[in-house]
Amino acid sequence: MAATTLALWAFSLLQAPWTVLGWVALVPWLASVDQARTSREALVLGGVLSATFTAVVFSWFPRALHSYSGAPVWLCWMLLLLTAPVFQLQFPVTALARHLARRAVGTRAAWLPPMASVLVFVGVEWLAPKPFADTLGQALVYSERLRQGADLAGAPGLTLVLLLVNECLLAAVNAFRRRGASFALRRLLAAGAIVLALMGYGAVRLHELRAATHAEPLLVVGAVQANITNYEKLKAERGAYEVVRMVLDTHYALSDGLLREAPLDVLVWPETVYPTPFGVPKSEAGAELDAEIAGYVSARAVPLIFGSYDVEDGREFNAAMFLSPSAGEGGAPERAVYRKSKLFPLTEWVPEAIDSEHLRAWLPWTGRWTPGPGPRTVALRRRDGRMLRVAPLICYDTLFPSYVAEEARQDADLLLTLSNDSWFAGTRGPGLHLTHAIFRSIETRRPQVRVTNSGVSALIDASGEVLTDIGDDQRGARVMRVPSAQVRPSLALVWGNWLGPVALVLAVLLLVGAALGGRGTRL
C-alpha cells in the first residue's frame, strides 16, 4: 500500500524520471488485493488507498480551501479525507469487484478478474463524483506522443492503457514465481506492445497535425494576466470602486503595450476581471465604468473578451463578455454573452434539493450563481473581415470533455478559456487545471487560448503543446499567434466522453457472467 501511494505521488509530479512509475505504481496494491481473504478486507484495501492517494496527491487542496472559505485548515483536511472514499470511489469498488471475480472464477479464467478490474476502474471514475475530474492518464500529458491517444477516448483512455500495463506486469511477476522466466516474458512483451502501440499512434497523429498546420495564424490574440487577486480583501481595504479602478487601469496599460507590440485580432482578459454586472450597472459609477470599457474598445478598434457578471430576471450569471467595435462609425460596440454552465458545487452554486438558509449559514462562502444554458459558440471577426467561431469556456467548464466536444462540434475554430485560479496560486491546482485544458485541445483537435488572472495563462495547439505561457503567480501579457490546422475529426470529438459508460456496461456483463458461471460450476 505504501509503495503504491508513494509511486502514485511521484508519478503525479510530472517530473522525469518519476513519470515512469505510473506504469508500475498499482502492481503492489493489486497484489495485495489478490491476497484478500474476504470482501471486507478487499474494501478496506481500496478505502485506505483512496485516503492515502487523496492525502498525498491533493495535499494542496486544504490550504486552498482555507484561503477561499476561511474555514480552519484542520477542518479542510478532515473534509478532504472523509470524502476521499467517495471522490476516489474507483479504488474500493475495483478492489471489491476484483475479489468477487477471483472468488467466482477461481483459476478457470485467470484473465477475467484483471480485465474486470480495469473496466470497473474506468467505469466508476466516469460514474462517481470527482470535483477535479482527475484520472491517472492525465499524468501522461508530459509525453508528446503518448498524450495523442487521448483523441480516441480522452484521458480515461490513457488511464485504461496504464491499468492494462500494470496488470501485465503483475501477471509477469506471478508467472515468474510459479512457472519461470519464459512465461513471465510473454506478459512483459504484452506490456511493451501496448506502450509501443500507443506511441506509434501518437507519432502518426503528430505527423498528420504538423503536415496540416498552416503558416498563417488563425488568430492573433493579446492575453493579459494582471495577477491581481483576493478582490474581497482589497475591497475591504480600499473600497469597491477603487479596486475596480485599479484593475481596469492595470488591464488598459498592459493591453496598450500589446497593441503597440503587434496588430491584434482580439484582446482577452480573464474570468470575473470586472467583478460587477456589465451592461446592467448597479450605480451611476458602474454605468460610467461600463461606458469606459465600451469606449476603450471603440477607440482601439479591437474586440475585447473579458469576464464579468450578467443579470437577467434577478438571476446572476458568471459570464464572458464579447465586445466588438461597431461596423458603423461612432456606434456602440456590439455585445455577445456566454454564461458559465458548469459551476463548482458548494462554492459557486448549491443544488436546489439541498439549498437552505441553514446550509448557507454553515457554509457562508456558498455562492448564488445560476448555471448558463449550455454549450454554444460565439462569432468573432478577424482584422481581415473573416468570421471565426469561438467555443468559450469559463474555468470549471473545461473539466467536462463532452461539454467541450459539443461546443467544438458547433463548427468552432478555437477553444477560448477564461479562468480565475487565484485561490490555488502557489499550489499544484493551476497545473492540474492547465492539464485539463491541454486534454480538451487534444480531444477536439482545436487550438486553445487560456487566460487567467494569476496563472497559468497559455496558448495550446491541437497536439496539446503549450506554445507560450504566463506562469503561476506572475504578471504578464503575451501576443499569442494561434496556429491553424485542418485535421480529421477525432473519436473523442464525435462521441465525447464515451469510454466510461461503455467500460461500466462491459464490467457489469463480465461480473454477472463470472457469478453465473461460478454458480453453475458449484451446481
Side-chain angles (χ1 to χ4, degrees):
M1 186 73 67
T4 289
T5 300
L6 184 61
L8 288 175
W9 169 77
F11 177 56
S12 70
L13 296 177
L14 304 183
Q15 297 175 1
W18 308 116
T19 46
V20 73
L21 291 175
W23 302 105
V24 300
L26 290 172
V27 170
W29 178 71
L30 293 171
S32 298
V33 173
D34 286 344
Q35 298 302 313
R37 291 166 295 180
T38 65
S39 298
R40 177 180 294 181
E41 190 175 334
L43 272 173
V44 168
L45 287 169
V48 170
L49 183 57
S50 70
T52 57
F53 174 84
T54 299
V56 298
V57 175
F58 296 101
S59 58
W60 53 269
F61 183 66
R63 180 158 58 91
L65 183 59
H66 164 72
S67 175
Y68 181 87
S69 67
V73 174
W74 67 265
L75 178 61
C76 298
W77 265 105
M78 186 175 72
L79 288 172
L80 180 71
L81 295 178
L82 288 176
T83 56
V86 176
F87 295 146
Q88 301 297 334
L89 188 62
Q90 71 276 10
F91 292 120
V93 175
T94 296
L96 178 61
R98 187 183 188 89
H99 173 76
L100 293 176
R102 285 176 59 83
R103 192 167 68 183
V105 302
T107 59
R108 291 180 293 107
W111 61 271
L112 194 150
M115 183 56 66
S117 297
V118 169
L119 294 172
V120 166
F121 193 104
V122 174
V124 170
E125 280 202 320
W126 166 78
L127 182 66
K130 292 175 80 72
F132 302 109
D134 56 281
T135 187
L136 298 178
Q138 289 169 338
L140 296 186
V141 71
Y142 73 91
S143 171
E144 183 181 41
R145 290 187 178 182
L146 292 174
R147 67 175 182 246
Q148 303 309 315
D151 75 352
L152 295 173
L158 302 183
T159 297
L160 185 142
V161 171
L162 281 168
L163 295 172
L164 286 174
V165 171
N166 274 269
E167 291 286 5
C168 287
L169 295 179
L170 175 60
V173 171
N174 291 335
F176 180 77
R177 290 174 176 172
R178 297 168 185 169
R179 307 182 70 177
S182 62
F183 289 92
L185 182 61
R186 298 177 189 176
R187 279 74 175 176
L188 292 174
L189 290 174
I194 292 171
V195 178
L196 288 175
L198 183 60
M199 292 186 68
Y201 176 82
V204 170
R205 289 299 271 156
L206 280 171
H207 177 75
E208 292 177 355
L209 284 166
R210 287 165 181 163
T213 300
H214 308 304
E216 176 71 14
L218 176 72
L219 200 70
V220 181
V221 176
V224 177
Q225 178 177 302
N227 201 27
I228 301 174
T229 62
N230 206 336
Y231 280 12
E232 295 306 316
K233 180 181 178 182
L234 291 173
K235 286 178 182 178
E237 295 172 350
R238 304 174 60 170
Y241 179 85
E242 290 302 320
V243 171
V244 176
R245 178 76 274 157
M246 175 189 67
V247 169
L248 289 178
D249 288 344
T250 302
H251 282 78
Y252 292 149
L254 291 170
S255 299
D256 284 341
L258 290 172
L259 289 166
R260 289 190 294 270
E261 182 178 342
L264 303 177
D265 288 309
V266 63
L267 280 166
V268 184
W269 300 349
E271 178 189 11
T272 59
V273 65
Y274 187 56
T276 187
F278 180 84
V280 190
K282 296 181 177 180
S283 65
E284 184 176 333
E288 292 175 356
L289 291 172
D290 285 4
E292 181 179 292
I293 295 173
Y296 183 87
V297 170
S298 297
R300 288 355 182 239
V302 62
L304 172 64
I305 303 171
F306 65 99
S308 183
Y309 306 163
D310 196 27
V311 176
E312 182 181 3
D313 299 329
R315 296 173 299 161
E316 200 161 67
F317 303 86
N318 187 339
M321 297 292 171
F322 289 70
L323 294 186
S324 299
S326 173
E329 187 174 347
E334 300 170 3
R335 185 178 73 151
V337 181
Y338 167 78
R339 294 169 173 174
K340 182 179 180 180
S341 294
K342 300 296 186 179
L343 303 177
F344 199 88
L346 300 183
T347 54
E348 295 181 309
W349 164 77
V350 177
E352 290 186 11
I354 63 171
D355 195 4
S356 68
E357 292 305 319
H358 178 72
L359 175 70
R360 290 184 179 275
W362 185 50
L363 304 175
W365 61 83
T366 51
R368 298 182 183 272
W369 299 108
T370 300
R376 58 162 297 196
T377 58
V378 177
L380 188 67
R381 183 182 292 106
R382 277 183 41 141
R383 289 191 309 275
D384 59 11
R386 281 188 294 159
M387 299 300 293
L388 299 177
R389 300 203 66 82
V390 175
L393 302 162
I394 300 178
C395 194
Y396 204 51
D397 289 340
T398 59
L399 271 67
F400 299 88
S402 292
Y403 184 93
V404 180
E406 187 173 345
E407 282 199 342
R409 287 194 295 267
Q410 297 176 27
D411 295 325
D413 302 293
L414 169 72
L415 305 182
L416 177 65
T417 300
L418 309 185
S419 191
N420 178 354
D421 294 349
S422 61
W423 299 109
F424 307 120
T427 73
R428 294 172 61 194
L432 175 60
H433 208 174
L434 175 64
T435 296
H436 279 289
I438 290 171
F439 276 105
R440 300 301 85 83
S441 282
I442 297 170
E443 292 156 5
T444 62
R445 293 304 180 188
R446 299 293 193 276
Q448 181 175 176
V449 171
R450 183 173 192 270
V451 181
T452 73
N453 64 335
S454 63
V456 178
S457 299
L459 170 61
I460 305 165
D461 71 10
S463 74
E465 185 73 17
V466 176
L467 302 179
T468 184
D469 68 331
I470 309 172
D472 183 30
D473 198 24
Q474 296 180 20
R475 174 174 292 185
R478 296 284 188 278
V479 174
M480 297 182 174
R481 291 177 170 83
V482 183
S484 174
Q486 297 295 326
V487 294
R488 58 186 171 89
S490 64
L491 192 62
L493 172 62
V494 176
W495 288 1
N497 193 14
W498 63 271
L499 180 60
V502 170
L504 196 59
V505 169
L506 292 176
V508 170
L509 292 176
L510 276 180
L511 291 171
V512 170
L516 293 177
R519 181 182 298 177
T521 301
R522 288 192 295 272
L523 290 175

